Amino acid sequence: MKRTARAFWLDSPGRGVIRDAELPEPGEDEVVVRALYSGVSRGTETLVFRGGVPAGQYAAMRAPFQEGDFPGPVKYGYLNVGVVEEGPGHLRGRTVFCLYPHQTRYVVPASAVTPVPDHVPAGRAVLAGTVETAVNALWDAAPLVGDRIAVVGGGMVGCSVAALLARFPGVRLQLVDADPGRAATAEALGVDFAAPEEALGDCDLVVHASASEQGLARSLELLAAEGTVLELSWYGDRKVSLPLGEAFHSRRLAIRSSQVGTVSPRRAGRTYADRLALALDLLADPALDALVTGECAFGELPDVLPRLASGEIPALCHRVRYPDIG
């Protein structure tokens, strides 16, 4: 009997469709996973949806189980939580996280899934990929006890970074965003909030995640002498201007990038699996539920993603729930 599934595809920029998919017979070291939830990361995934991946970045932007090519048709996504229906005994019946697109069932190598700890709800586990990005960013940034830190940009990645930094002892921490609605999210995460014009300066470290030219310029303004901006934003095909005159050189400021595609050189002994397992363990904190700001059924994705991309539906992580298909 053929194994079938349904998958969400970006048919062309701005247009999504759900297609039937035929699954391969699983091999000895593979698992069949039935999806419970997936997550839409509003930053990267909506940029892909609108066709904003530069041609020179097509290879770098490929998701682990992507099918098709940019700008489309392409099956793209990387936040999927499901139950192992078939596979090795130690995984059968386990709830797992996988860097897989939006699809009702899928077959992957057993090594591609990571068990979700029993104390982490499946619905929260869709955040694992973003919290993993935050872990890598903090490995790159190496904040110290007592640092003065701002996180500029209260999107999904920025809020994840702020949530982890809130656990550091003695730090002065602010989440900075132009949207006053992000104040409630910051409060839920136990983090002080400030509008850009009210943010505290003299920072040792600013983590920038607003994906805006204005946010990056403000991040530089908030630094103390010798301070560093850790740039987490990805601008796709947009050009960004920077104020590198003024006091940039005399104050010896620094900008460095961080990207989850490589494990931070500061933790060269850790593997991708180690990093993801840590992120899943950190999701035991119920405060992180504040990052899930919307939910829809899988069948609604073709209508919902254009509204997420346009900003009509404001969201951090938009969660997709799957039908119990037995």
Side-chain angles (χ1 to χ4, degrees):
M1 189 174 80
K2 289 183 179 179
R3 301 168 188 269
T4 60
R6 304 188 76 209
F8 176 80
W9 282 75
L10 172 61
D11 201 38
S12 59
R15 180 177 181 272
V17 296
I18 291 177
R19 298 179 179 176
D20 291 332
E22 187 174 324
L23 301 184
E25 195 68 24
E28 184 178 348
D29 295 320
E30 292 184 315
V31 292
V32 178
V33 180
R34 174 173 57 85
L36 297 173
Y37 299 99
S38 60
V40 179
S41 177
R42 188 169 176 267
T44 302
E45 207 165 333
T46 58
L47 187 146
V48 169
F49 186 78
R50 69 173 178 82
V53 179
Q57 292 297 302
Y58 283 0
M61 276 293 295
R62 285 194 70 85
F65 294 100
Q66 174 179 324
E67 292 183 40
D69 295 297
F70 302 118
V74 63
K75 185 173 75 175
Y76 190 85
Y78 47 84
L79 303 173
N80 198 302
V81 176
V83 174
V84 175
E85 293 187 317
E86 300 178 46
H90 69 285
L91 288 173
R92 204 173 305 128
R94 292 291 306 271
T95 301
V96 295
F97 176 85
C98 185
L99 296 168
Y100 204 87
H102 309 285
Q103 185 164 311
T104 56
R105 272 195 176 94
Y106 48 93
V107 178
V108 294
S111 59
V113 302
T114 302
V116 175
D118 292 339
H119 53 278
V120 175
R124 192 187 303 153
V126 295
L127 298 168
T130 307
V131 173
E132 182 184 9
T133 299
V135 167
N136 205 61
L138 294 183
W139 283 351
D140 280 334
L144 300 174
V145 172
D147 272 358
R148 296 157 296 186
I149 305 172
V151 177
V152 176
M156 194 173 167
V157 171
C159 284
S160 296
V161 171
L164 299 189
L165 282 169
R167 306 169 183 221
F168 278 64
V171 300
R172 188 197 77 188
L173 174 64
Q174 283 189 319
L175 179 65
V176 180
D177 199 281
D179 179 2
R182 290 287 183 257
T185 305
E187 182 179 7
L189 297 174
V191 177
D192 288 339
F193 177 82
E197 65 276 10
E198 298 171 347
L200 297 173
D202 207 27
C203 292
D204 304 292
L205 169 68
V206 176
V207 179
H208 179 241
S210 81
S212 71
E213 187 174 297
Q214 298 88 344
L216 183 51
R218 184 59 177 144
S219 296
L220 288 169
E221 292 173 350
L222 293 176
L223 287 176
E226 304 280 349
T228 296
V229 170
L230 187 79
E231 177 60 277
L232 290 180
S233 301
W234 190 67
Y235 300 90
D237 54 1
R238 289 181 292 141
K239 304 291 184 184
V240 176
S241 297
L242 281 179
L244 298 185
E246 303 177 8
F248 180 80
H249 284 82
S250 62
R251 296 174 63 220
R252 296 173 56 86
L253 305 182
I255 303 172
R256 69 165 300 177
S257 66
S258 177
Q259 210 279 335
V260 73
T262 301
V263 174
S264 171
R266 294 177 183 269
R267 295 294 181 271
R270 307 288 181 89
T271 66
Y272 290 101
D274 292 334
R275 191 178 65 185
L276 180 55
L278 172 59
L280 280 163
D281 194 54
L282 290 169
L283 281 165
D285 186 350
L288 290 164
D289 284 331
L291 303 187
V292 179
T293 53
E295 185 173 291
C296 70
F298 170 70
E300 297 173 313
L301 261 181
D303 296 322
V304 168
L305 250 172
R307 297 166 65 199
L308 286 169
S310 70
E312 179 186 344
I313 299 177
L316 294 175
C317 176
H318 190 88
R319 187 166 58 201
V320 180
R321 66 181 181 275
Y322 289 76
D324 186 354
I325 52 180

